[in-house]
Amino acid sequence: MVTNVTNFSRSGLYDWMAQRVSAVVLAAYFIFLLGFVLLNPGLTYADWHGLFSHNAMRIFSLLALLATVVHAWVGMWTISTDYLTPMAFGRWATVLRFFFQAACGVLQFVLFVWGVQILWGI
Amino acid sequence: MILFLGLVVLLYGLDMSLASEESFEELKACLASPLAKLVIWGLLSALLYHLVAGIRHLFMDAGVGETLEGGKLGSKIVIAVAVVLIVLAGVWVW
């Protein structure tokens, strides 16, 4: 059995829900952005910068950033528990998985901070 | 894995696109190169497939398509829809 101390929350059900909710948020954000880009062929810097100057868009983007971290954490946890298993790596599996998830976590934190800096740095 | 690492590429693009007029133009020029288009199309394809398969999972969570036959049909639909979207994305990118 895979130790579940490394998942996102205390219970699998919470992860399951968090993944679905973050997925819906991300789907909405992606479809919105795709729509915006498709409806504005020949997009200029002014339009694009203008879009991200609206606070509503910044908040929506921040929400998408947060959802990305949640979604990616649960997703990467799922991948690591699927592949970095004792069957494949013996007793070193948990240690390997721990470092893999720690690395994912650090990268996600960096991406999140970078994203916030981009959104509020313009 | 592709999507996760793709995030780094996309955030860098966003950073460039918003930093200044010059970097926005620089990004546009960069995206014109075939290699950049391939990367963008690859990321878009991975995301589109992920989105379609994810929506299918939401249907299954709601109890739709959980039987063996339903599952098989669902998989075929996902593949078909994803391929169509990926081809459209290809046309749009190239």
Side-chain angles (χ1 to χ4, degrees):
Chain A
M1 212 287 281
V2 170
T3 60
N4 68 359
V5 74
T6 57
N7 62 14
F8 185 68
S9 68
R10 285 160 298 285
S11 75
L13 197 58
Y14 182 88
D15 287 6
W16 176 85
M17 189 271 302
Q19 194 176 36
R20 264 66 178 174
V21 170
S22 58
V24 170
V25 168
L26 287 170
Y29 190 74
F30 171 65
I31 289 167
F32 169 78
L33 263 188
L34 197 63
F36 181 82
V37 171
L38 287 176
L39 294 176
N40 291 299
L43 194 68
T44 64
Y45 175 71
D47 303 332
W48 184 248
H49 187 273
L51 171 66
F52 281 91
S53 305
H54 296 301
N55 262 344
M57 183 57 185
R58 278 190 188 145
I59 292 164
F60 192 21
S61 304
L62 186 63
L63 186 62
L65 256 177
L66 267 176
T68 306
V69 171
V70 168
H71 199 76
W73 177 273
V74 177
M76 298 316 280
W77 175 82
T78 309
I79 289 177
S80 64
T81 47
D82 285 351
Y83 295 104
L84 306 180
T85 61
M87 184 183 72
F89 295 95
R91 60 193 177 83
W92 293 104
T94 305
V95 173
L96 187 63
R97 202 167 52 247
F98 180 83
F99 283 112
F100 172 81
Q101 280 164 13
C104 288
V106 166
L107 181 58
Q108 281 166 25
F109 178 72
V110 167
L111 291 182
F112 179 75
V113 169
W114 185 16
V116 169
Q117 183 267 331
I118 293 171
L119 288 171
W120 265 273
I122 46 178
Chain B
M1 229 23 208
I2 291 173
L3 289 174
F4 190 49
L5 301 177
L7 275 174
V8 179
V9 172
L10 294 176
L11 263 178
Y12 186 72
L14 181 66
D15 195 355
M16 269 181 81
S17 70
L18 287 172
S20 67
E21 182 90 37
E22 298 73 30
S23 61
F24 181 88
E25 292 308 325
E26 202 183 302
L27 181 65
K28 259 171 81 171
C30 165
L31 287 180
S33 79
L35 179 64
K37 284 190 175 198
L38 188 66
V39 169
I40 293 298
W41 185 43
L43 285 176
L44 255 179
S45 305
L47 184 58
L48 287 169
Y49 173 76
H50 193 75
L51 176 67
V52 174
I55 290 169
R56 178 190 170 220
H57 271 76
L58 290 178
F59 277 115
M60 285 196 288
D61 292 344
V64 173
E66 279 183 325
T67 61
L68 181 59
E69 300 71 25
K72 279 187 195 165
L73 178 63
S75 306
K76 293 193 181 92
I77 294 172
V78 163
I79 300 286
V81 170
V83 164
V84 167
L85 290 176
I86 288 169
V87 166
L88 287 174
V91 166
W92 181 49
V93 166
W94 297 92

